[in-house]
Amino acid sequence: MKKVSILGKEQKSEHIWNVDEERKEHSNPTTFSELLGLNELFSLKVWKASVAELVGTAVLVFAIDTIVISSYETKTNVPHLIMAILISITVAILLLASYPVSGGHINPAITFSAALVGIVTLSRAVIYILAQCVGAVLGALALKAMVNSTIEETFSLGGCTLTVISPGPNGPIIVGIGAAQGLWLEILCTFVVLWASVWMAFDHSQAQALGSVIVLSIVGIVVGLLVFVSATVTGAKGYTWAGMNPARCFGEALVRGGHHWYGHWIFWVGPTIACVAFYLYTKIIPRQHCHTVGSNMISSTL
């Protein structure tokens, strides 16, 4: 029995995004302050971790928007495919780089979902989301400082836009998609990211079996696939792809302004609805998973 117990302990591991051992102390909060995790508002450790979220999101915005611009500037018949592949690699690398410090969210949708399912406190989530928004603004400013005005106007800094205003023979032409279509794309694409990849990190059994490198790489691959699908299925030149990251969209809108604010609420409301839907899904599915053999069988023996 001791041998089995030791083996069980060795096989135990944290959730990929469970970034603080101290969270175990608050597994059964008894006060409103503990429920919200208000003590983390004054935790230097949490604020230091948020710096990784800030830097990670800044690099994400700069890298992804550069990829968008360069993909469309490249003389190829499949810019969407090139863009999706490069974004997959970029997202995976940035998640792997930031998760040891902060949990590697770099996306308010992931942070909000983590708070809903109880992996991080609401206070930590607020700090992270603020850091992500600041980082997104810095990333957009860095890109704006590097590109010329023609590129900026043509590609809208690679930002989250439902429409693009382009010059025409008889005046400006607005091309893109409608608000309803954009909202549904944000809801569905964000939910798929959470359901098909992020849940592997939230679920103890899958995170333990696969490991952080595989899980976070899968997140990047799923994001890249949804970028390709959302950009291709609409067939609209004025629409780049589903944002799935409110902070990224906010940074570009604040720096670029203008038509970036048109329908900007969609890039917040859509992911929020997806997060709530994902939370409800986690409450509906069975708590015990029969697909994992090793750890569950050992723990049930103890």
Side-chain angles (χ1 to χ4, degrees), residues 147-197:
V147 300
N148 58 50
S149 59
T150 303
I151 293 291
E152 181 181 342
E153 290 291 337
T154 303
F155 296 97
S156 301
L157 281 180
C160 306
T161 57
L162 297 179
T163 60
V164 169
I165 303 175
S166 58
N170 298 317
I173 300 175
I174 301 177
V175 292
I177 63 175
Q181 187 179 8
L183 180 61
W184 275 111
L185 280 168
E186 286 297 316
I187 294 173
L188 295 174
C189 290
T190 305
F191 180 81
V192 170
V193 169
L194 295 172
W195 177 77
S197 59

Side-chain angles (χ1 to χ4, degrees), residues 71 124 178 204:
S71 297
R124 184 189 289 261
H204 177 80

Side-chain angles (χ1 to χ4, degrees), residues 136-145 152 157 249-258 260-261:
V137 172
L138 294 177
L141 284 171
L143 180 64
K144 183 180 175 64
E152 181 181 342
L157 281 180
C249 300
F250 172 75
E252 293 147 349
L254 188 65
V255 172
R256 183 70 179 85
H260 278 69
W261 288 115

